[in-house]
Amino acid sequence: MKALLRTITFAAMGTALIACGESDTTVIDPASSSLTNSVLTVDSADFVEEAHLFVHGCEAAGTGRIIGEQVADFTFTNCEGDPVRLHDYCGRRKALWMVGSAGWCGACIAHFPEVVEVTNQRRSEGLQSFIFVGETEASSAVTLDWCQNFAASNNVDPAMMIFDETAADGLQSLWSYIAPNGGGGKSIGLPWEAVLDPYDMTFYWDSSTEFDPMQPINELLAE
């Protein structure tokens, strides 16, 4: 159904552009406010994302914290110092992969190269990924300077690594929105991973029950 809605929406957008006399061989130069003969180059993935954008149904307050429910909007900070708002990705990606980690977690650090590689390979298909760092190697609160150094030392794009600058244990902040173990209070192993469906920001999968995020990611990217 989502694929059908994207197709219908994109067809309607294309019709509107033709009706308005738009050309794909001219662009407006903002500096001169005149038409040029430059060729407008567009990645085909952009069409999917823009069509997807018009049919999503994210709920700002969410509907819950467990699998099958819609996750509420939240904002954290990336290692470039910029805010990262979850619902900015509503309808703009097909799958959102969240990896919870800490500076003291060797298994997390060992997992980073795979997360980076898969994300780089599949970004054009609609995958968005974030590595959330909850604490430093000394189990203290993450700061921007520490985050920047940590990202650089592990070859992670600082825009991809996020943290809660207001909390001593940032993972607790993340889990207040996305509950591991269905909110059951069991022990949580790191790295903890979740996959969300950005169509309406549904909590789709987490590693508390299974340990291969590729299956849910493949399912969402195939839609």
Side-chain angles (χ1 to χ4, degrees):
M1 177 59 73
K2 285 187 285 186
L4 176 60
L5 285 172
R6 290 189 212 113
T7 301
I8 293 172
T9 304
F10 176 59
M13 291 168 62
T15 301
L17 287 173
I18 293 170
C20 292
E22 295 290 343
S23 167
D24 62 358
T25 59
T26 59
V27 294
I28 295 177
D29 182 355
S32 64
S33 298
S34 63
L35 290 176
T36 73
N37 290 321
S38 301
V39 175
L40 178 60
T41 302
V42 180
D43 188 324
S44 60
D46 292 336
F47 289 113
V48 175
E49 293 173 7
E50 291 305 313
H52 201 188
L53 174 64
F54 286 89
V55 294
H56 74 82
C58 293
E59 294 286 342
T63 60
R65 302 167 53 232
I66 62 175
I67 290 175
E69 297 181 325
Q70 290 176 272
V71 178
D73 196 12
F74 59 70
T75 302
F76 292 117
T77 305
N78 66 25
C79 293
E80 293 183 330
D82 299 320
V84 174
R85 179 173 173 263
L86 180 68
H87 282 197
D88 282 348
Y89 297 91
C90 285
R92 294 182 177 272
R93 296 293 184 271
K94 289 186 175 182
L96 193 149
W97 185 13
M98 186 73 69
V99 179
S101 67
W104 45 262
C105 173
C108 301
I109 294 171
H111 186 40
F112 291 169
E114 179 185 7
V115 177
V116 170
E117 180 181 11
V118 171
T119 301
N120 289 338
Q121 289 175 345
R122 310 198 68 179
R123 181 178 287 112
S124 63
E125 297 178 54
L127 177 62
Q128 178 69 45
S129 305
F130 291 106
I131 296 172
F132 190 104
V133 185
E135 295 179 328
T136 70
E137 68 278 6
S139 298
S140 57
V142 175
T143 64
L144 180 58
D145 286 345
W146 182 91
C147 190
Q148 291 173 337
N149 291 330
F150 186 63
S153 64
N154 288 287
N155 298 311
V156 176
D157 180 353
M160 182 180 175
M161 186 168 282
I162 62 177
F163 67 102
D164 183 357
E165 58 186 349
T166 68
D169 181 357
L171 284 172
Q172 297 302 322
S173 299
L174 177 63
W175 291 335
S176 70
Y177 292 95
I178 308 173
N181 301 313
K186 300 177 183 178
S187 60
I188 305 167
L190 295 183
W192 171 81
E193 303 177 72
V195 175
L196 308 183
D197 180 356
Y199 177 80
D200 55 5
M201 215 52 78
T202 297
F203 185 2
Y204 192 80
W205 172 93
D206 95 320
S207 57
S208 301
T209 53
E210 301 176 49
F211 292 93
D212 182 9
M214 290 303 102
Q215 180 177 340
I217 287 172
N218 287 338
E219 290 171 357
L220 290 174
L221 294 183
E223 292 186 359

